[in-house]
């Protein structure tokens, strides 16, 4: 079978896990090759995201030890989404299909076979979906579930329990390259590309070693980013909030007039102050949300590069 697979692995400070997961990935790749599901010249591409530890040295060492390992490095740390994008965009002209997967061994590597099978059945995008979160702590599970619910309620359609473990064909990636936004939320953008897609289910494990780079604060930022990148629902909610608050204050005015006519005095300054504070707060929140969108627009119009690759483990012919 001459389908060339590139496995894209973003790595940030992963020196502890890389020696382990690289072996697991290579085993899986060789297994798929021996089953004739992918071609021999398939590759595992590590994307070093400006790590501060020995990650890039390990990747270079791996690439010397086995031809199936290759690597690229970003000029500095840009975050997980940009690292995955850098890998996918580099790979899109070199292979037929890509599978992106985290470096920490949390995602079940054996699900790759099901993904490749789904591609053989005609699917161009295959989403890896976690069927259980039992190994996660209750807190992580709860926050992650709220994350998906919030995203979908806010109009950012993402596949439930799918992170960035997915197969995408080079055809999809070539179309994806036309999505020029700098505010990246890959799992919400891929469904926008379309093409035939499906999901495969797998159990999520615990991190093999090292620490998660996604504490609650980063997860909240990602959720907010996802919503504001994919939907303008928050702005609509503000409009509705404005309409409702106006209606309530209209009723309040009528009440005040009626009370005045009936001779009773409207309650004192404390109620006035309470309403003022409430409205002041609501207005500030609304301004914040609008500001968030303006900030996004500002980042978009600058059109800065989304990734800068400073080094590759292979030599390319000069094209200039
Ligand atoms: N990662 C990255 N750049 C970053 C942070 C993380 O490339 O700035 C990579 C990291 O090496 C891992 C993946 O993104 O392969 C997911 O990160 P992590 O496991 O820390 O997140 P979690 O699984 O806890 O959500
Ligand atoms: Mg992880």
């Amino acid at each position: 079978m001459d389908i060339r697979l590139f496995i894209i692995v973003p790595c940030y400070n992963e020196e502890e896990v890389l020696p382990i997961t690289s072996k697991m990935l290579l085993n899986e790749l060789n297994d798929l090759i021996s089953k004739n599901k992918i071609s021999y010249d398939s590759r595992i591409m590590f994307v070093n995201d400006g790590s501060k530890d020995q990650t890039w040295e390990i990747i270079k060492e791996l690439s010397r030890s086995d031809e199936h390992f290759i690597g690229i490095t970003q000029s500095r740390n840009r975050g997980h989404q940009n690292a995955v994008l850098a890998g996918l965009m580099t790979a899109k002209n070199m292979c037929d299909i890509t599978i992106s997967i985290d470096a920490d061994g949390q995602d079940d590597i054996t699900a790759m076979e099901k993904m490749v099978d789904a591609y053989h059945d005609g699917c161009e995008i295959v989403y890896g979906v976690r069927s259980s979160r039992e190994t996660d702590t209750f807190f992580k599970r709860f926050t992650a579930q709220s994350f998906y619910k919030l995203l979908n309620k806010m109009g950012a359609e993402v596949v439930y329990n799918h992170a960035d473990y997915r197969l995408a064909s080079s055809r999809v990636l070539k179309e994806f390259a036309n999505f020029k936004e700098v505010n990246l939320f890959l799992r919400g953008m891929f469904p926008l590309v379309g093409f035939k897609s499906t999901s495969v289910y797998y159990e999520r494990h615990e991190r093999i070693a090292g620490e998660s780079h996604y504490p609650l604060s980063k997860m909240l930022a990602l959720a907010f980013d996802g919503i504001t990148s994919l939907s303008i629902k928050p702005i609509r909610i503000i409009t509705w909030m404005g309409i409702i608050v106006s209606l309530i204050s209209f009723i309040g005015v009528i009440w005040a007039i009626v009370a005045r006519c009936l001779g009773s005095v409207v309650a004192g300054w404390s109620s006035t102050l309470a309403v003022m504070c409430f409205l002041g707060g609501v207005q500030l929140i609304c301004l914040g949300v609008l500001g968030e969108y303006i900030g996004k627009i500002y980042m978009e119009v600058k059109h800065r590069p989304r990734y800068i690759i400073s080094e590759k483990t292979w030599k390319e012919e000069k094209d200039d």
Side-chain angles (χ1 to χ4, degrees):
M1 190 62 68
D2 50 357
I3 286 176
R4 194 171 194 205
L5 166 70
F6 268 43
I7 300 174
I8 312 293
V9 193
C11 310
Y12 177 58
N13 294 347
E14 299 285 13
E15 63 182 6
E16 284 179 58
V17 275
L18 259 192
I20 310 168
T21 43
S22 59
K23 276 200 200 89
M24 290 161 63
L25 287 166
L26 187 62
N27 279 345
E28 181 65 21
L29 196 81
N30 283 329
D31 188 45
L32 289 175
I33 293 171
S34 66
K35 286 180 179 156
N36 214 14
K37 294 194 174 185
I38 54 172
S39 67
Y40 181 77
D41 58 0
S42 295
R43 295 282 180 269
I44 297 165
M45 184 197 276
F46 297 102
V47 184
N48 174 39
D49 188 19
S51 302
K52 294 180 177 60
D53 62 5
Q54 292 298 305
T55 302
W56 181 234
E57 279 64 40
I58 295 174
I59 293 172
K60 282 197 280 194
E61 188 52 48
L62 283 169
S63 75
R64 281 190 288 269
S65 70
D66 192 305
E67 58 173 330
H68 289 110
F69 289 125
I70 56 173
I72 56 175
T73 183
Q74 296 223 81
S75 57
R76 68 178 183 90
N77 179 247
R78 292 292 306 270
H80 170 237
Q81 299 286 292
N82 295 70
V84 175
L85 183 78
L88 292 178
M89 290 301 114
T90 309
K92 75 177 190 303
N93 297 320
M94 303 165 71
C95 64
D96 302 296
I97 49 174
T98 58
I99 294 179
S100 48
I101 186 168
D102 289 353
D104 56 12
Q106 281 193 289
D107 299 317
D108 182 8
I109 287 174
T110 55
M112 282 187 190
E113 185 169 352
K114 286 191 261 174
M115 290 186 173
V116 174
D117 287 344
Y119 172 77
H120 285 299
D121 290 341
C123 292
E124 302 272 346
I125 305 179
V126 187
Y127 301 103
V129 175
R130 295 164 205 169
S131 55
S132 87
R133 278 187 169 269
E134 270 147 38
T135 52
D136 280 349
T137 60
F138 170 77
F139 182 69
K140 176 92 188 175
R141 207 159 58 210
F142 175 75
T143 48
Q145 267 166 6
S146 319
F147 173 82
Y148 287 101
K149 285 200 186 123
L150 184 71
L151 281 177
N152 282 320
K153 280 237 162 60
M154 286 290 168
E157 275 167 43
V158 289
V159 178
Y160 184 71
N161 260 349
H162 160 68
D164 280 300
Y165 185 20
R166 86 175 77 71
L167 178 148
S169 70
S170 66
R171 220 174 125 205
V172 166
L173 292 175
K174 279 172 192 155
E175 298 301 333
F176 192 81
N178 294 322
F179 287 62
K180 303 279 187 202
E181 58 235 70
V182 289
N183 295 289
L184 293 175
F185 189 63
L186 299 176
R187 67 188 84 168
M189 289 161 68
F190 270 95
L192 300 178
V193 184
F195 290 97
K196 193 173 172 206
S197 66
T198 187
S199 301
V200 301
Y201 297 85
Y202 67 92
E203 307 250 323
R204 188 161 161 95
H205 309 296
E206 272 176 77
R207 223 174 201 286
I208 291 178
E211 272 179 17
S212 167
H213 304 99
Y214 272 98
L216 184 63
S217 58
K218 260 200 182 174
M219 202 140 101
L220 279 178
L222 187 70
F224 203 67
D225 241 15
I227 295 165
T228 49
S229 301
L230 293 168
S231 129
I232 53 160
K233 222 166 178 178
I235 297 187
R236 295 238 169 89
I237 293 175
I238 289 180
T239 313
W240 278 108
M241 217 148 77
I243 293 172
I244 292 166
V245 171
S246 310
L247 275 178
I248 294 172
S249 39
F250 185 66
I251 295 168
V253 169
I254 293 185
W255 171 67
I257 294 172
V258 171
R260 184 85 180 84
C261 293
L262 293 178
S264 62
V265 181
V266 179
W269 66 278
S270 41
S271 58
T272 318
L273 202 71
V275 171
M276 267 174 58
C277 289
F278 173 70
L279 286 185
V282 170
Q283 281 172 352
L284 281 181
I285 294 171
C286 297
L287 272 180
V289 175
L290 289 181
E292 190 69 30
Y293 279 95
I294 295 174
K296 284 255 153 87
I297 298 169
Y298 178 59
M299 296 310 286
E300 294 295 342
V301 293
K302 281 196 284 196
H303 267 300
R304 284 188 179 157
R306 297 180 288 181
Y307 55 88
I308 297 172
I309 296 167
S310 57
E311 215 180 318
K312 293 177 176 171
T313 56
W314 70 95
K315 285 216 163 52
E316 272 180 325
E317 291 120 48
K318 283 216 172 92
D319 46 23
D320 52 352

